[in-house]
Amino acid sequence: MTINAILVPQGSEYMAVCRGLSRVTGKTPKIIPVPVGIKPLTKYLQQLPKQEYSTCDLQPKVLVMGLCGSLTPQYHVGDVVLYESCIYQEQLQVCDSAFTTEIYSALKTHYPTLKLVKSLTSDRVICFASEKRHLGKTLGADVVDMEGFATLECFNGSGVAVAMLRVVSDDCHHDIPDITAAINPDGSLQPLSLGLRFLGQPIAAARLIQGSLRGLKVLEEATKLLFSEF
């Protein structure tokens, strides 16, 4: 199977995927770091030249990778998940089923608990555990991120097959710092603002950092395993 490009949020997630691919021999896909958040990502993808993710006449395949948060007790920090669909403001976008099945088949042996999930795309960080569980129950969503729906909305209907592979980095039992204000309008992070918010909630920050580091390690390993199969 040929994957034309990997989209991954810029920063630590992008670096984790790069480290994973560096451990793979042979040809690997192009990795494209993308901004965080629905609006900046939508603008970025609308301006992204097709040749960045399409190198032949066949249907391009784009894999989205990164971290996500759990909305249900079923999913824990370090769990690898594959998306079936993404919801945003009562709208639904679906991942390419054939492409998703190929990814599932390649990773199922390495991750026996690998499951297909429904994701919520949010335009802000969901920081309270109680809100996470409420959203999970009311919307029937399993995980949350800030990029999934925008990617599918951009590519679905344009002949591009999209699959999404993510790793859970925070659970639905603990609060995390509200870092929404630390995200710039262009989808980049403000390190100083992020640090100040961590200082204001040190216990929650420590838990988020620990979960993120674990998630990034699994993301790196999953990248290596996936592309070692192809």
Side-chain angles (χ1 to χ4, degrees), residues 3 6 21 24 29 63 65 222-230:
I3 296 176
I6 301 171
L21 282 184
V24 176
L63 177 63
M65 302 186 74
T223 302
K224 181 188 78 72
L225 291 172
L226 175 62
F227 290 97
S228 294
E229 293 291 318
F230 299 147

Side-chain angles (χ1 to χ4, degrees), residues 70-209:
S70 175
L71 299 177
T72 167
Q74 184 178 356
Y75 297 99
H76 310 90
V77 173
D79 285 351
V80 180
V81 296
L82 264 172
Y83 286 12
E84 284 184 315
S85 60
C86 295
I87 55 173
Y88 174 67
Q89 295 183 348
E90 300 183 351
Q91 300 176 71
L92 177 72
Q93 291 283 349
V94 180
C95 296
D96 185 271
S97 59
F99 186 17
T100 299
T101 298
E102 289 179 294
I103 302 295
Y104 181 88
S105 299
L107 287 177
K108 182 62 176 176
T109 301
H110 302 291
Y111 300 102
T113 61
L114 180 65
K115 288 186 173 65
L116 299 177
V117 299
K118 184 177 183 180
S119 173
L120 166 68
T121 299
S122 175
D123 51 14
R124 61 183 176 85
V125 176
I126 309 299
C127 54
F128 295 112
S130 57
E131 185 181 10
K132 290 183 187 180
R133 295 192 297 271
H134 174 74
L135 289 170
K137 289 179 180 178
T138 56
L139 299 177
D142 302 296
V143 298
V144 61
D145 68 39
M146 298 180 71
E147 300 85 27
F149 184 90
T151 306
L152 290 172
E153 187 175 44
C154 179
F155 286 126
N156 280 356
S158 65
V160 178
V162 178
M164 300 194 180
L165 179 68
R166 296 236 179 197
V167 179
V168 176
S169 60
D170 58 275
D171 61 31
C172 68
H173 300 293
H174 302 93
D175 295 346
I176 61 173
D178 186 357
I179 60 172
T180 301
I183 302 174
N184 289 315
D186 65 357
S188 61
L189 283 174
Q190 303 175 38
L192 180 57
S193 180
L194 186 66
L196 290 174
R197 278 154 180 76
F198 280 0
L199 287 174
Q201 295 175 273
I203 295 176
R207 187 178 292 116
L208 176 61
I209 292 169

Side-chain angles (χ1 to χ4, degrees), residues 3-57:
I3 296 176
N4 298 86
I6 301 171
L7 300 185
V8 58
Q10 59 192 356
S12 57
E13 293 163 87
Y14 170 75
M15 291 187 286
V17 172
C18 287
R19 288 194 299 270
L21 282 184
S22 71
R23 298 162 59 192
V24 176
T25 57
K27 187 177 179 181
T28 56
K30 181 172 186 175
I31 317 173
I32 303 174
V34 299
V36 174
I38 297 171
K39 290 183 179 180
L41 178 58
T42 298
K43 181 179 179 180
Y44 177 87
L45 292 178
Q46 288 173 344
Q47 299 173 348
L48 185 67
K50 188 174 181 180
Q51 58 264 31
E52 291 291 302
Y53 54 85
S54 178
T55 55
C56 61
D57 294 330

